[in-house]
Amino acid sequence: MARSSTLFSPDRLRYFVSRIQERLWIRPLVLCVLSIAATFVARLADDTGLADVVPDINPDSVESLLSIMASSMLVIATFAVGSMVAAYASASTAATPRSIPLVIADDVTQNALSAFIGAFIFSLVSLIAAQNGLFGEAGRFAIFTLTLLVFIIVIVTFVRWVDRIARLGRVVNTIGQVEHAASNALKRRRRSPTLCAQPVTANQSDTTGTAVYSSTVGYIQNIDMEALQICAEEFDCRVRVTALPGTFVTPQRALLRIEGKSEGSTEDFVSAFKIGDNRTFEDDPRFGLLALSEIADKALSPGINDPGTAINVVGTMVRLFTQWQAPLANDELDEITFKRVHVPELMLSDMFDDAFTAIARDGAGFFEVSIRLQKALHALAETGDESMTAAACAHSRAALARSERAMSHPEDIAAVRKAAAFSATFSSKTPSDDAPDGND
């Protein structure tokens, strides 16, 4: 019952659309179908009275135009695929393989490939139809007009695509794409810290209730909250989620705990969790932070030695955490609609670990990176949020300790100590974390 009721739930639909955007063949297939349909729509013009009012187009000119398009579009489409593959390889090598789904989902690139393949199919099908006398006077005029329109679309698309492909896969552009994905995930989680469910309270123990496990090993990519609510209502119980999107689960790692349900199948509860081989960005804000951290970490490797990219990523982290900390108006918060489901909030300390630990560890020997990192943590400590201040100070002290061990020049160490002095002026007391963290 729960499965059929939530087949098109907003959470599941958004997840499905995101996965579709990562498939390169979807848009070209749609354009191919539309291209074939356009040819037969032009044929329908002969059944109207347009032949009396439109000029008679020479069949040879129509066939020549379609032949030119058919031969050129296949070459351009092949060139586009080669350029895209090179851009994907560049993003994987220079940035991080975790960014590949975002690079593949680039709208301009997918639209360009779809337009080129669609134009090729249109010209090929129309050419065959024209050479076999399928069109009359009105049909030839219609197909001639459509061909000119397709030419215009291809030219505009090609100009836009050339500008995009010149930057696609470059580190700076990839950082921007990952930041955009992380920002969207953070905005959704800020509006709904508990995914529109009840928050986990301090008196809810990790061992209370019946644990529900999945036989699948992988990362939780999406949770259908509506399905959990329907299941909870059906069995008259309460559900406490113990594994948030991004958590790596095994048959020994509980997805949730059910309080009040004594018997019956748990299959519908498990089916609300979409588990895959890799993490995704849409419902997992921490994955965006981790991907950015990996980009900076790779830039700091001896083989690349690019501290400027790491500094760029640190600035990006400050923007994202500032966005996360900014207060929301009451009308911006999503209403709690799943009354029988309890979900833990993300822990800020875990988010800081994802964002800054690797940069502090592998950038400890870089003076400029260490200084920029301390300044970034200082800026976040001054936001006024107690949890963020505590996390920033803790990471500042840890980064300073790493820099003191990695650096040999006394003046560099003294400068980093001066930049990290702010952590001593703030309270070192960490807020209590009574709510359990659902993400490993």
Side-chain angles (χ1 to χ4, degrees):
M1 175 176 140
R3 287 180 180 176
S4 59
S5 301
T6 60
L7 182 60
F8 297 105
S9 66
D11 281 340
R12 192 51 56 88
L13 183 60
R14 177 169 52 81
Y15 173 82
F16 177 76
V17 171
S18 298
R19 301 288 74 75
I20 286 295
Q21 290 177 340
E22 296 174 1
R23 299 293 185 267
L24 280 176
W25 59 269
I26 295 295
R27 295 189 192 183
L29 176 62
V30 172
L31 263 293
C32 288
V33 173
L34 293 177
S35 300
I36 297 173
T39 302
F40 291 98
V41 168
R43 170 63 182 83
L44 295 178
D46 288 325
D47 298 330
T48 66
L50 289 177
D52 299 330
V53 296
V54 298
D56 185 16
I57 303 297
N58 189 327
D60 292 337
S61 64
V62 174
E63 293 179 13
S64 298
L65 195 59
L66 290 172
S67 298
I68 293 172
M69 181 182 291
S71 58
S72 60
M73 285 302 101
L74 182 60
V75 175
I76 294 178
T78 304
F79 171 70
V81 171
S83 300
M84 291 165 61
V85 171
Y88 301 154
S90 175
S92 178
T93 303
T96 171
R98 259 59 63 188
S99 65
I100 292 301
L102 299 177
V103 180
I104 292 177
D106 181 75
D107 287 334
V108 174
T109 303
Q110 287 201 11
N111 291 339
L113 180 62
S114 303
F116 301 152
I117 295 178
F120 170 71
I121 297 297
F122 167 77
S123 58
L124 188 62
V125 173
S126 299
L127 181 61
I128 294 174
Q131 290 179 341
N132 286 275
L134 184 64
F135 302 117
E137 292 184 12
R140 284 196 300 271
F141 177 80
I143 205 67
F144 180 77
T145 304
L146 286 174
T147 303
L148 293 180
L149 179 61
V150 170
F151 258 123
I152 295 173
I153 293 174
V154 166
I155 292 173
V156 173
T157 302
F158 183 78
V159 171
R160 293 187 62 209
W161 174 73
V162 167
D163 177 70
R164 178 59 65 92
I165 201 66
R167 290 173 286 144
L168 189 67
R170 302 298 185 265
V171 175
V172 173
N173 187 66
T174 304
I175 291 174
Q177 290 178 304
V178 177
E179 179 184 2
H180 180 70
S183 176
N184 288 339
L186 288 170
K187 287 178 181 177
R188 283 194 294 269
R189 190 58 65 88
R190 284 181 67 233
R191 291 195 300 267
S192 180
T194 57
L195 306 179
C196 295
Q198 300 278 8
V200 173
T201 58
N203 58 357
Q204 289 179 302
S205 171
D206 287 342
T207 59
T208 304
T210 303
V212 176
Y213 303 89
S214 171
S215 59
T216 304
V217 177
Y219 293 96
I220 296 178
Q221 298 178 340
N222 174 265
I223 303 177
D224 193 338
M225 301 299 296
E226 187 176 343
L228 291 179
Q229 175 69 17
I230 292 175
C231 289
E233 291 174 349
E234 180 182 352
F235 292 101
D236 191 23
C237 63
R238 305 190 74 83
V239 175
R240 178 164 50 83
V241 174
T242 58
L244 292 175
T247 303
F248 185 76
V249 293
T250 65
Q252 293 75 40
R253 175 67 158 90
L255 301 176
L256 53 88
R257 288 186 173 271
I258 304 175
E259 300 175 5
K261 177 181 178 297
S262 58
E263 59 182 11
S265 173
T266 60
E267 182 180 351
D268 284 343
F269 289 95
V270 175
S271 66
F273 291 78
K274 178 62 179 177
I275 301 175
D277 296 335
N278 302 295
R279 297 172 72 171
T280 57
F281 290 93
E282 291 77 25
D283 300 303
D284 186 4
R286 291 180 56 182
F287 186 48
L289 299 175
L290 183 63
L292 286 169
S293 179
E294 286 184 357
I295 294 175
D297 197 35
K298 178 173 284 190
L300 293 171
S301 64
I304 298 179
N305 193 24
D306 180 18
T309 294
I311 291 174
N312 188 4
V313 170
V314 170
T316 300
M317 296 294 192
V318 174
R319 283 195 297 272
L320 292 174
F321 278 109
T322 301
Q323 169 191 306
W324 174 262
Q325 185 273 337
L328 284 174
N330 291 332
D331 58 350
E332 294 181 293
L333 293 171
D334 292 340
E335 181 182 359
I336 294 179
T337 55
F338 308 118
K339 305 291 186 180
R340 290 178 174 267
V341 184
H342 294 259
V343 175
E345 297 185 19
L346 287 177
M347 305 304 297
L348 193 61
S349 58
D350 293 333
M351 296 169 66
F352 265 70
D353 289 341
D354 294 330
F356 296 116
T357 298
I359 300 176
R361 180 194 64 219
D362 296 320
F366 292 84
F367 171 75
E368 60 272 39
V369 175
S370 299
I371 290 292
R372 180 62 65 181
L373 179 60
Q374 293 294 344
K375 289 182 177 180
L377 294 171
H378 188 185
L380 294 175
E382 290 182 324
T383 57
D385 181 83
E386 185 179 0
S387 298
M388 187 166 291
T389 298
C393 290
H395 275 266
S396 172
R397 290 190 290 269
L400 174 61
R402 289 187 172 98
S403 295
E404 288 175 337
R405 289 195 299 270
M407 292 181 179
S408 58
H409 192 56
E411 293 184 2
D412 290 347
I413 296 175
V416 175
R417 285 173 178 169
K418 182 179 180 180
F422 74 91
S423 62
T425 64
F426 292 95
S427 173
S428 60
K429 183 179 179 181
T430 302
S432 61
D433 294 330
D434 295 326
D437 178 21
N439 194 346
D440 291 343

